[in-house]
């Protein structure tokens, strides 16, 4: 019987920092998992090396559910982003191994395709309205059928969500970039540039917008009401989700769909939001919500309550996570949309993924497993670099929420 023979943890920064787990069985089959927690990567790497790897040696790689429960319940200190990201890496690697052993792509193990491709959206942004409109046009010409739009607020020194280079990456400095924030200026400006997008390009594509948790429930309700004519696919993270009951207030005042969940790590974190139908899309991810096994559980709960999937897919998910997400997306019945930004050229030197983009959709590889490879030698050319996400400050100097 095959057993887990070795488990390796790699930390490299090809364009951004990724933590990658590789499990090898006694039969010589390898599986990859993503363990990246943006801005806190080394915490997960240590959790894996010091606490999880010793528990895996000698285990049956086919006992995926049992291993998940063993790592989750056996730790006693449950949930949280570090624990769930570490478990996700193991779980994803074991699904990769199972697919290779069975000679099937992972989506076949999950029940097969429910659709031909996975609808994705990408990020258009600008320092002002004209540059935003140009970027939206560029994405539509690339074939995207859904675009997220963000623009810098005039007179405010920095706005999170605006791309500075070819690839959007917010974690770009060795110390947190402290960016100013003005809620009233944002509430006045954002609805106008979303309206400008619709005026120029019409309604033949999906338009999305990310609020980044930065509004109170009442402010979020006001924003959602003000953009109803722009028919957003969703407004993302309109208010901090710790107080989940606050989403009921937003619901009472606007029909703009709500998407939440990228910073949540378990089914219990989103249970109330889903069962009370306080959101329309759940944005939990493979890498931060316990892997394929647990994310499928979240998606199944969501399906019971007419909530659709909309997983986070920024550049802080490695190509391993993106491949796993697409395999799951194409199988689940309540799929909504998948975020997709692409990675830096350096990332492509380290990871080879079979996921392909065409006609506004992603398509998973039909290779056995996830169809992803990791080039350890190439990764050595990109040593770890510490990077932090930005911090928002109100104009009075106090720290604002994301």
């Amino acid at each position: 019987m095959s057993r887990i023979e070795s488990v390796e943890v790699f930390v490299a920064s090809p364009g951004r920092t990724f933590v990658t787990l590789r499990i090898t069985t006694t039969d010589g089959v390898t599986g990859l998992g993503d363990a990246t927690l943006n801005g806190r990567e080394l915490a997960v790497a240590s959790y894996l090396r010091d606490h999880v790897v010793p528990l895996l040696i000698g285990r049956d790689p086919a006992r995926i559910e049992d291993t998940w429960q063993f790592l989750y319940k056996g730790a006693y200190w449950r949930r949280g982003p570090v624990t769930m990201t570490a478990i996700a890496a193991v779980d994803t690697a074991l699904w990769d191994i199972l697919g290779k052993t069975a000679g099937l792509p992972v989506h076949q193990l999950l029940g097969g395709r429910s659709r031909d491709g996975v609808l994705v959206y990408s990020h258009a942004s600008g320092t002002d309205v004209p540059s935003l409109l140009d970027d939206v046009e560029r994405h539509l010409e690339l074939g995207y059928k859904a675009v997220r739009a963000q623009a810098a607020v005039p007179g405010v020194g920095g706005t999170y969500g605006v791309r500075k280079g070819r690839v959007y990456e917010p974690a770009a400095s060795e110390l947190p970039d402290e960016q100013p924030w003005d809620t009233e200026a944002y509430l006045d400006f954002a609805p106008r540039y979303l309206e400008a997008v619709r005026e120029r390009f019409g309604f033949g594509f999906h338009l999305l917008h990310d609020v980044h948790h930065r509004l109170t429930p009442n402010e979020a309700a006001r924003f959602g009401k003000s953009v109803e004519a722009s028919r957003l696919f969703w407004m993302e993270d309109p208010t901090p989700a710790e107080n989940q009951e606050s989403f009921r207030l937003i619901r009472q005042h606007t029909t703009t769909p709500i998407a939440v969940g990228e910073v949540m790590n378990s089914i219990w974190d989103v249970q109330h939001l889903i069962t009370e139908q306080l959101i329309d899309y759940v944005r939990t991810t493979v890498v931060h919500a316990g892997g394929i096994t647990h994310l499928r559980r979240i998606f199944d709960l969501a399906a019971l309550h007419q909530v659709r999937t909309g997983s986070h897919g920024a550049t802080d998910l490695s190509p391993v996570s993106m491949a796993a997400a697409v395999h799951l997306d194409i199988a689940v019945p309540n799929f909504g949309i998948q975020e997709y930004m692409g990675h830096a050229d350096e990332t492509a030197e380290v990871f080879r993924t079979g996921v392909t983009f065409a006609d506004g959709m992603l398509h998973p590889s039909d290779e056995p497993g996830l169809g992803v490879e990791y080039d350890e030698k190439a990764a050595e050319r990109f040593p770890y670099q510490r990077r932090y996400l930005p911090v928002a400050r109100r104009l009075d100097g106090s720290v604002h929420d994301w």
Side-chain angles (χ1 to χ4, degrees):
M1 180 183 293
S2 178
R3 297 287 175 180
I4 295 175
E5 184 173 66
S6 67
V7 185
E8 302 161 280
V9 180
F10 304 100
V11 182
S13 298
R16 63 140 298 110
T17 299
F18 299 111
V19 179
T20 306
L21 184 77
R22 183 169 67 196
I23 297 177
T24 304
T25 71
T26 52
D27 293 336
V29 181
T30 61
L32 294 175
D34 183 12
T36 305
L37 185 62
N38 199 344
R40 298 294 186 270
E41 297 92 351
L42 296 186
V44 186
S46 175
Y47 190 104
L48 285 166
R49 288 186 180 123
D50 299 334
H51 304 290
V52 173
V53 169
L55 304 178
L56 297 177
I57 305 302
R59 291 186 66 84
D60 181 352
R63 296 184 62 170
I64 298 176
E65 180 68 39
D66 183 66
T67 298
W68 196 98
Q69 298 293 337
F70 178 74
L71 294 177
Y72 179 80
K73 295 178 178 177
Y76 185 73
W77 309 107
R78 302 180 184 181
R79 295 155 64 180
V82 174
T83 294
M84 297 303 281
T85 301
I87 292 175
V90 175
D91 183 81
T92 303
L94 294 181
W95 277 101
D96 193 18
I97 289 171
L98 182 62
K100 291 175 180 176
T101 301
L104 294 170
V106 167
H107 65 263
Q108 287 291 87
L109 303 177
L110 297 171
R113 293 172 180 261
S114 291
R115 56 197 49 82
D116 294 329
V118 171
L119 177 69
V120 297
Y121 73 92
S122 192
H123 296 194
S125 65
T127 57
D128 53 24
V129 175
S131 60
L132 168 63
L133 295 177
D134 288 345
D135 207 29
V136 170
E137 183 175 35
R138 181 176 68 87
H139 281 85
L140 294 176
E141 290 175 348
L142 289 171
Y144 285 97
K145 295 178 172 63
V147 179
R148 192 190 85 167
Q150 312 286 139
V153 179
V156 179
T159 299
Y160 183 80
V162 176
R163 188 178 63 253
K164 296 181 176 65
R166 189 184 67 81
V167 176
Y168 171 62
E169 176 47 62
S173 57
E174 293 190 6
L175 291 174
D177 180 19
E178 300 190 20
Q179 300 181 351
W181 176 255
D182 185 335
T183 298
E184 285 302 315
Y186 164 80
L187 286 171
D188 288 340
F189 180 59
R192 290 191 314 214
Y193 70 68
L194 293 171
E195 182 181 359
V197 172
R198 284 304 194 199
E199 286 180 351
R200 177 164 169 179
F201 301 106
F203 291 83
F205 69 102
H206 298 302
L207 180 61
L208 302 85
H209 179 71
D210 191 354
V211 183
H212 293 297
H213 317 265
R214 293 187 177 186
L215 302 179
T216 67
N218 197 51
E219 290 166 346
R222 169 183 156 192
F223 175 81
K225 190 71 174 176
S226 70
V227 298
E228 285 181 358
S230 294
R231 298 209 317 248
L232 295 187
F233 187 91
W234 74 37
M235 58 175 177
E236 179 184 339
D237 294 333
T239 195
E242 287 88 346
N243 178 14
Q244 297 189 7
E245 189 62 24
S246 67
F247 285 80
R248 195 179 306 279
L249 185 150
I250 303 173
R251 270 279 197 247
Q252 292 169 345
H253 292 281
T254 180
T255 58
T256 297
I258 300 170
V260 167
E262 71 181 61
V263 299
M264 297 177 175
N265 314 119
S266 76
I267 194 169
W268 300 280
D269 296 331
V270 294
Q271 178 183 2
H272 182 66
L273 290 170
I274 290 172
T275 58
E276 295 294 314
Q277 293 183 304
L278 301 180
I279 60 174
D280 300 278
Y281 297 89
V282 60
R283 286 185 37 76
T284 44
T285 71
V286 168
V287 65
H288 299 138
I292 293 172
T293 296
H294 194 65
L295 188 59
R296 180 64 184 264
R297 199 159 283 141
I298 294 172
F299 288 173
D300 285 344
L301 175 65
L304 295 177
H305 298 276
Q306 296 179 298
V307 174
R308 302 174 75 186
T309 75
S311 287
H312 177 65
T315 49
D316 59 352
L317 276 71
S318 87
V320 179
S321 272
M322 183 55 66
V326 173
H327 279 273
L328 184 56
D329 289 337
I330 209 159
V332 297
N334 58 323
F335 170 75
I337 201 167
Q338 171 68 53
E339 182 178 16
Y340 173 64
M341 297 171 57
H343 290 94
D345 293 339
E346 298 92 332
T347 304
E349 295 180 35
V350 175
F351 296 90
R352 196 276 299 173
T353 175
V355 173
T356 55
F357 173 80
D359 298 324
M361 296 187 291
L362 288 179
H363 303 269
S365 168
D366 283 322
E367 298 176 53
L370 294 174
V372 184
E373 295 179 2
Y374 183 78
D375 189 332
E376 183 181 352
K377 292 296 184 183
E380 291 176 355
R381 301 200 303 271
F382 304 99
Y384 168 70
Q385 293 180 315
R386 185 176 61 205
R387 292 289 185 268
Y388 286 99
L389 289 163
V391 174
R393 286 191 180 273
R394 299 181 182 89
L395 298 183
D396 66 2
S398 60
V399 175
H400 192 56
D401 209 298
W402 263 62

